[in-house]
C-alpha cells in the first residue's frame, strides 16, 4: 500500500474513505525490521520507498495538490514504532529502518498541515539481547496508552466494565473458563474448585478434551483407513509436499525463479578427520531431477531447508503434554463448534494428523513468548508454592527453556488445551544455508554441497539441546530426501570484473560460500577460461576451532598453486603453533581466532579497501560478525591514519553502501 492508502484511509479507488475515523482516533503501529545491510524487508519496501521519496504528505498521488483548504485538512496521525534489529551483529546499521521512518514522520510533520504525533517513544528491539522481552514491554505500553485514551474519551465508563490491562492478566492466568454458544456439547467439571471445560472430540482418547478459553476450538477426527494406508506405503515421502504444498510455499521467501521440491541426499560426511561429533559436516544433494533453469544458481546463493522436529521431541509433547489426544487424529477441515469469540485464524494445514502438525509445522524447541510463559506459570491454581517468573530474559530466554520444560515444572498440562500450544508456539521456519559448491561444477556433478556444523549445547540449567535443522540433517541417510529450495542472494556476489581485488573472511561453517568462490575461480583456471593473471589480488582469512577442524585445506592449496588465490591466512583457537608459521603449501597459520590474522596482516586488507576491492564476511552474526566488524574498523583507523573510530566507521559504512563490503551472517 502507498502512504496515502495506509495513513489517509483511501479505498481501492484512491478516494478518501467515507469511514475515515475522527482526527487522531487511530493509532498506527509499525513493526519495522532491518535486513541485509540496512534495508527494509520485502513486504515493507513499497511503503518505505514511497515514504522516503515524499517531500510532503498530500491528498493525491502527484504530491502537489493544494491542501490548505479547510475541507482538505489532513488528519493528525498518532503512531508507535517498534524496530527489529541486532546491535551486536550489525552495529553499523542497527535498526536503521525504524530510525529513518521515525525521522521521516517528523520531517513530514514540519512540512505539511498534518501533525505526526508519536504516541510512544521509538522502541528498538535487539535480537542480540532479548527481543521477545523488548516486544512484550512495548506491547504493555501500547495497551496502557489505548486504555488511557479510552478513559479520557469515555470518562463515564461503566463501573462494571473491566479495564483492558486487568482483563489481559486474567486471560493469561486461566484458559479453562469460557462462555460457550453450544452448552449441550460441553461438560463442565470441577477440579478442586477449578472449572474445566471438556468438549466432545472424536480424536480424543476418551471422547472429550479440554477446550481453550482464548483460541478457536479445533475438531479432531479419527484417522480413516486411507490415512493409515498412506502413512504405511513404502513409497510415501515423510513430508507434506504432496498433500499440502502450500505450507512450504507460504513459509518460503517469494522467488519466482526457483521452486520448492524434494532433493535426494547423495552423500553426507564428517569433514573432521577424527569424526568429532561437533565437527563440520558436508552434505551433497542431487540436482539431476531438475531442469537446467530450475537447477541454476550463482555463487553466493542460499539453499533453503525445511526441517522437521526430532521424533523423540514430538513424542514427548504427545505423551507428556497432550496424552488425552490420539496422535494420529486428523485436524478436521469441517467447522468446529464455536467455543469463544476469538477472531484468530488457524495457521497450519488442516486434513493432516496431529503428529504431522507437531512434526512439520510447530517449532517445539522454541523459547515460548513472555505471554505464553505467564499463561503456563499461572494456569495451575494449586502451584502457589512454585517460584514465579519475574525476569523473562534471565529465567527463560537466556537459559533456553522450552514450553515442555515449563509445563512439566509447573504441572500445567491438565490446564492447557491443544489450542494453547498451537496458537502460542511459533511455526517451524525454514533454515538458510550458503551453497558451498560452484555452479560451474553442475555439468559434471549434477549436485550441490552444503556445509554445516551440528548444533549441540548444554543450557545453564543442565538441559542438552540440539539444533532443529542440523539435527534433522545429521540423521538423514544416503538416498533419503529433504524438501528444499534454491534461493537467490543478489546481495552477495563476486565482482563482475575479475581484476577487482577481493578479500574473503570466514569462520567455522561460514567457510561454505567462501568454498564456492574458491572453487569457481579454480575451475575457470583449470578449464583455461581464465589465467592467474586475469584475477586481481585475493586474500583469504579463515578461523577454526582447532587444526583438525580446518575444512577444505586441499582446495585452498590447489587455489594457491594455480594462482587463483593470492594469500591465505588460517587461524585456529587450539593450534599447537605459538607464532605465525607458513607450511610448505604457503598457507600462513596463526594461533588465535580469525581477527588474529586480520590484525597481523591489516596492511594487506587496507590496500584491498583502497584499491576498490570487495570484501566478503561469512559466519555467525553475534560473535564472529561483531568481532570482525570491530577489527575491520581498527584496521581502517590504523592504516588509514584516521583520528577517530567515528571516521573509520563512516569509511566502512561507505563501503557497505557501495556494495564493496558484503556480509552473509547468521545466528
Amino acid at each position: 500500500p502507498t502512504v496515502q492508502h495506509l495513513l489517509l484511509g483511501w479505498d481501492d479507488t484512491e478516494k478518501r474513505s467515507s469511514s475515515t475515523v475522527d482526527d487522531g482516533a487511530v493509532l498506527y503501529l509499525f513493526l519495522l525490521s532491518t535486513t541485509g545491510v540496512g534495508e527494509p524487508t520485502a513486504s515493507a519496501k513499497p511503503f518505505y520507498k514511497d515514504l522516503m521519496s515524499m517531500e510532503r504528505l498530500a491528498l493525491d498521488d502527484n504530491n502537489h495538490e493544494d491542501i490548505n483548504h479547510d475541507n482538505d485538512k489532513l488528519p493528525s496521525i498518532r503512531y508507535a514504532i517498534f524496530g527489529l534489529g541486532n546491535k551486536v551483529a550489525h552495529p553499523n546499521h542497527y535498526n536503521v529502518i525504524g530510525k529513518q521512518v521515525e525521522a521521516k514522520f517528523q520531517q513530514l510533520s514540519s512540512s505539511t498541515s498534518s501533525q505526526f504525533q508519536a504516541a510512544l517513544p521509538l522502541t528498538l528491539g535487539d535480537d542480540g539481547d532479548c527481543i521477545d522481552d523488548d516486544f512484550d514491554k512495548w506491547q504493555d505500553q501500547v495497551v496502557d496508552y489505548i486504555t488511557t485514551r479510552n478513559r479520557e474519551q469515555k470518562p463515564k465508563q461503566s463501573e462494571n466494565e473491566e479495564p483492558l490491562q486487568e482483563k489481559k492478566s486474567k486471560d493469561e492466568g486461566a484458559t479453562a473458563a469460557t462462555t460457550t454458544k453450544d452448552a449441550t456439547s460441553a461438560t463442565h467439571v470441577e477440579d478442586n474448585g477449578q472449572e474445566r471445560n471438556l468438549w466432545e472430540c472424536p480424536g480424543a482418547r476418551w471422547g472429550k478434551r479440554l477446550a481453550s478459553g482464548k483460541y478457536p476450538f479445533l475438531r479432531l477426527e479419527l484417522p480413516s483407513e486411507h490415512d493409515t494406508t498412506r502413512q504405511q506405503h513404502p513409497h510415501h515421502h515423510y513430508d507434506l509436499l504432496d498433500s499440502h504444498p502450500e505450507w512450504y510455499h507460504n513459509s518460503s521467501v517469494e522467488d519466482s525463479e526457483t521452486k520448492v521440491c524434494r532433493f535426494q541426499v547423495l552423500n553426507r560426511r564428517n569433514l573432521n578427520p577424527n569424526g568429532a561429533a561437533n565437527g563440520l559436516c558436508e552434505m551433497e544433494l542431487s540436482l539431476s531431477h531438475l531442469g537446467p533453469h530450475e537447477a541454476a544458481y550463482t555463487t553466493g546463493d542460499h539453499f533453503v531447508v525445511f526441517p522437521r522436529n526430532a521424533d523423540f521431541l514430538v513424542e514427548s509433547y504427545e505423551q507428556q503434554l497432550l496424552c488425552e489426544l490420539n496422535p494420529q487424529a486428523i485436524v478436521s477441515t469441517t467447522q468446529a463448534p464455536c467455543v469463544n469469540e476469538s477472531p484468530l485464524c488457524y495457521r497450519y494445514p488442516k486434513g493432516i494428523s496431529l503428529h504431522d502438525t507437531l512434526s512439520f509445522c510447530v517449532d517445539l524447541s522454541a523459547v515460548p513468548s513472555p505471554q505464553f510463559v505467564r499463561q503456563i506459570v499461572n494456569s495451575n491454581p494449586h502451584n502457589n508454592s512454585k517460584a514465579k517468573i519475574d525476569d523473562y530474559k534471565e529465567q527463560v530466554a537466556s537459559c533456553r527453556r522450552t514450553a515442555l520444560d515449563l509445563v512439566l515444572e509447573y504441572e500445567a498440562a491438565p490446564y492447557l488445551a491443544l489450542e494453547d500450544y498451537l496458537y502460542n508456539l511459533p511455526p517451524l521456519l525454514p533454515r538458510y544455508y550458503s551453497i558451498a559448491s560452484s555452479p560451474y561444477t553442475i555439468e559434471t556433478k549434477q549436485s550441490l554441497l552444503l556445509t554445516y556444523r551440528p548444533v549441540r549445547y548444554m543450557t545453564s540449567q543442565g538441559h542438552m539441546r540440539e539444533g532443529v535443522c542440523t539435527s534433522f540433517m545429521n540423521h538423514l541417510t544416503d538416498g533419503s530426501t529433504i524438501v528444499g529450495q534454491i534461493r537467490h542472494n543478489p546481495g552477495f556476489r563476486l565482482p563482475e570484473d575479475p581484476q577487482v581485488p577481493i578479500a574473503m573472511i570466514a569462520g567455522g561453517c561460514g567457510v561454505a560460500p567462501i568454498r564456492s568462490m574458491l572453487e569457481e575461480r579454480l575451475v575457470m583456471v583449470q578449464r583455461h577460461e581464465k589465467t592467474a593473471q586475469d584475477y586481481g589480488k585475493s586474500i583469504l582469512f579463515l578461523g577454526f576451532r582447532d587444526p583438525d577442524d580446518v575444512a577444505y585445506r586441499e582446495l585452498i592449496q590447489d587455489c594457491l598453486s594455480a594462482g587463483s588465490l593470492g594469500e591465505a591466512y588460517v587461524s585456529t583457537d587450539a593450534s599447537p603453533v605459538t607464532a605465525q608459521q607458513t607450511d610448505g603449501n604457503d598457507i600462513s597459520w596463526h594461533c588465535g581466532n580469525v581477527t588474529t590474522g586480520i590484525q597481523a596482516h591489516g596492511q594487506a586488507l587496507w590496500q584491498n579497501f583502497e584499491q576498490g576491492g570487495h570484501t566478503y564476511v561469512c559466519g555467525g552474526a553475534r560473535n564472529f560478525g561483531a568481532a570482525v566488524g570491530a577489527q575491520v574498523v581498527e584496521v581502517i583507523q590504523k592504516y588509514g591514519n584516521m583520528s577517530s573510530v567515528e571516521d573509520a566507521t563512516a569509511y566502512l559504512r561507505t563501503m557497505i553502501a557501495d556494495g564493496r563490503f558484503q556480509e552473509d551472517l547468521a545466528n
Side-chain angles (χ1 to χ4, degrees), residues 334-508:
T334 60
Q335 183 65 37
C338 183
V339 180
N340 51 48
E341 302 295 337
S342 174
L344 296 176
C345 295
Y346 185 65
R347 56 186 170 184
Y348 303 124
K350 291 187 176 182
I352 64 174
S353 68
L354 175 59
H355 181 83
D356 284 353
T357 301
L358 298 178
S359 296
F360 297 106
C361 303
V362 187
D363 192 346
L364 303 181
S365 298
V367 175
S369 67
Q371 176 180 334
F372 192 29
V373 169
R374 288 192 293 267
Q375 182 179 350
I376 293 172
V377 171
N378 297 325
S379 61
N380 186 345
H382 314 299
N383 269 339
N384 296 327
S385 60
K386 292 281 187 179
K388 299 298 181 182
I389 293 178
D390 49 22
D391 189 335
Y392 174 82
K393 176 183 172 182
E394 293 299 324
Q395 295 176 268
V396 180
S398 296
C399 49
R400 302 293 302 174
R401 297 171 79 179
T402 66
L404 180 63
D405 297 333
L406 293 169
V407 171
L408 293 179
E409 178 179 345
Y410 287 89
E411 301 175 353
Y415 307 96
L416 295 174
L418 170 66
E419 293 79 7
D420 294 319
Y421 298 103
L422 297 184
Y423 280 92
N424 276 293
L425 292 177
L428 185 58
L429 298 177
R431 269 58 169 179
Y432 294 80
Y433 293 88
S434 296
I435 298 175
S437 54
S438 166
Y440 288 88
T441 63
I442 290 181
E443 294 180 4
T444 56
K445 294 186 178 180
Q446 287 291 300
S447 63
L448 61 78
L449 297 178
L450 303 179
T451 304
Y452 66 96
R453 186 189 301 279
V455 177
R456 295 186 182 90
Y457 62 95
M458 188 77 72
T459 70
S460 59
Q461 294 192 335
H463 296 142
M464 178 62 72
R465 297 282 189 258
E466 291 187 347
V468 174
C469 195
T470 58
S471 175
F472 163 68
M473 295 168 66
N474 230 31
H475 286 85
L476 293 173
T477 57
D478 295 354
S480 58
T481 61
I482 64 172
V483 178
Q485 178 188 26
I486 295 173
R487 188 218 173 186
H488 298 317
N489 183 26
F492 199 82
R493 290 285 186 263
L494 283 169
E496 294 183 5
D497 182 1
Q499 281 292 325
V500 174
I502 64 171
M504 298 164 282
I505 306 172

Side-chain angles (χ1 to χ4, degrees), residues 48-273:
Y48 176 82
K49 182 179 179 181
D50 189 31
L51 178 66
M52 291 297 128
S53 65
M54 296 182 67
E55 297 180 0
R56 63 192 182 101
L57 189 62
L59 293 179
D60 72 333
D61 280 336
N62 295 324
N63 210 26
H64 57 67
E65 183 177 308
D66 184 7
I67 60 173
N68 293 323
H69 301 297
D70 291 339
N71 292 335
D72 288 338
K73 184 179 180 181
L74 290 171
S76 176
I77 298 172
R78 298 179 184 272
Y79 67 92
I81 297 175
F82 181 85
L84 297 90
N86 191 315
K87 181 183 291 186
V88 177
H90 306 289
N92 295 311
H93 40 266
Y94 171 62
N95 261 312
V96 296
I97 301 303
K99 295 175 183 177
Q100 290 173 356
V101 170
E102 167 80 9
K104 190 65 176 183
F105 282 166
Q106 295 307 310
Q107 176 191 337
L108 291 174
S109 182
S110 62
S111 60
T112 72
S113 61
S114 175
Q115 181 68 29
F116 285 85
Q117 298 180 4
L120 300 172
L122 172 64
T123 302
L124 303 180
D126 186 4
D127 193 37
D129 188 14
C130 185
I131 199 168
D132 288 307
D133 199 28
D134 297 335
F135 184 67
D136 189 60
K137 294 175 181 176
W138 182 75
Q139 285 187 104
D140 286 343
Q141 293 177 2
V142 171
V143 171
D144 289 341
Y145 175 84
I146 295 174
T147 303
T148 302
R149 290 278 296 178
N150 287 343
R151 287 173 178 170
E152 291 174 351
Q153 294 176 2
K154 298 179 181 180
K156 296 182 179 180
Q157 182 181 22
S158 171
E159 295 181 357
N160 295 327
E161 187 173 349
E162 188 174 21
L164 182 59
Q165 184 66 40
E166 294 179 14
K167 183 177 185 298
K168 172 188 173 185
S169 300
K170 289 185 178 181
D171 285 345
E172 291 171 349
T175 62
T178 182
T179 301
T180 66
K181 288 188 175 181
D182 185 7
T184 59
S185 300
T187 301
H188 302 276
V189 297
E190 293 287 331
D191 180 13
N192 293 329
Q194 176 81 2
E195 185 182 76
R196 302 182 71 229
N197 198 20
L198 302 181
W199 276 73
E200 292 182 0
C201 178
R205 297 185 187 277
W206 301 284
K208 291 182 181 290
R209 71 175 181 87
L210 183 67
S212 171
K214 297 176 62 177
Y215 305 106
F217 186 77
L218 294 173
R219 185 175 180 83
L220 300 180
E221 302 286 356
L222 293 174
S224 65
E225 183 177 347
H226 169 73
D227 295 321
T228 305
T229 304
R230 181 181 64 87
Q231 294 288 346
Q232 297 175 349
H233 195 278
H235 299 295
H236 169 68
H237 293 282
Y238 192 38
D239 56 52
L240 303 179
L241 193 58
D242 292 333
S243 61
H244 291 82
E246 73 283 354
W247 168 248
Y248 298 102
H249 293 289
N250 291 340
S251 300
S252 64
V253 175
E254 292 290 337
D255 196 332
S256 59
E257 298 183 10
T258 64
K259 70 174 184 178
V260 179
C261 60
R262 294 187 185 94
F263 292 79
Q264 186 179 41
V265 177
L266 297 179
N267 181 46
R268 184 181 61 80
R269 66 189 182 107
N270 193 321
L271 297 177
N272 189 299

Side-chain angles (χ1 to χ4, degrees), residues 92 630 633-634 636-637 642-652:
N92 295 311
V633 169
E634 183 178 316
I636 294 172
Q637 183 180 5
M642 298 184 183
S643 59
S644 67
V645 174
E646 289 72 21
D647 291 341
T649 301
Y651 185 98
L652 176 59

Side-chain angles (χ1 to χ4, degrees), residues 263-337:
F263 292 79
Q264 186 179 41
V265 177
L266 297 179
N267 181 46
R268 184 181 61 80
R269 66 189 182 107
N270 193 321
L271 297 177
N272 189 299
N274 298 322
N278 63 343
L280 290 174
C281 295
E282 181 185 83
M283 178 177 288
E284 184 178 9
L285 300 176
S286 174
L287 299 176
S288 60
H289 61 297
L290 300 177
H293 181 71
E294 296 173 332
Y297 67 90
T298 304
T299 297
D301 281 349
H302 293 153
F303 186 82
V304 182
V305 177
F306 295 87
R308 70 170 183 264
N309 289 306
D311 290 340
F312 80 88
L313 185 59
V314 175
E315 291 170 0
S316 295
Y317 272 81
E318 292 172 346
Q319 297 171 7
Q320 301 190 57
L321 307 190
L322 301 168
C323 60
E324 63 179 1
L325 304 178
N326 180 350
Q328 300 307 318
I330 305 298
V331 180
S332 176
T333 57
T334 60
Q335 183 65 37

Side-chain angles (χ1 to χ4, degrees), residues 476-538:
L476 293 173
T477 57
D478 295 354
S480 58
T481 61
I482 64 172
V483 178
Q485 178 188 26
I486 295 173
R487 188 218 173 186
H488 298 317
N489 183 26
F492 199 82
R493 290 285 186 263
L494 283 169
E496 294 183 5
D497 182 1
Q499 281 292 325
V500 174
I502 64 171
M504 298 164 282
I505 306 172
C509 53
V511 72
I514 301 303
R515 185 200 181 282
S516 178
M517 292 178 175
L518 294 175
E519 187 174 56
E520 175 173 323
R521 293 163 69 98
L522 179 62
V523 169
M524 297 295 284
V525 171
Q526 291 175 338
R527 292 180 179 177
H528 305 292
E529 297 180 25
K530 290 277 193 303
T531 65
Q533 291 70 35
D534 291 329
Y535 289 113
K537 185 176 180 180
S538 55

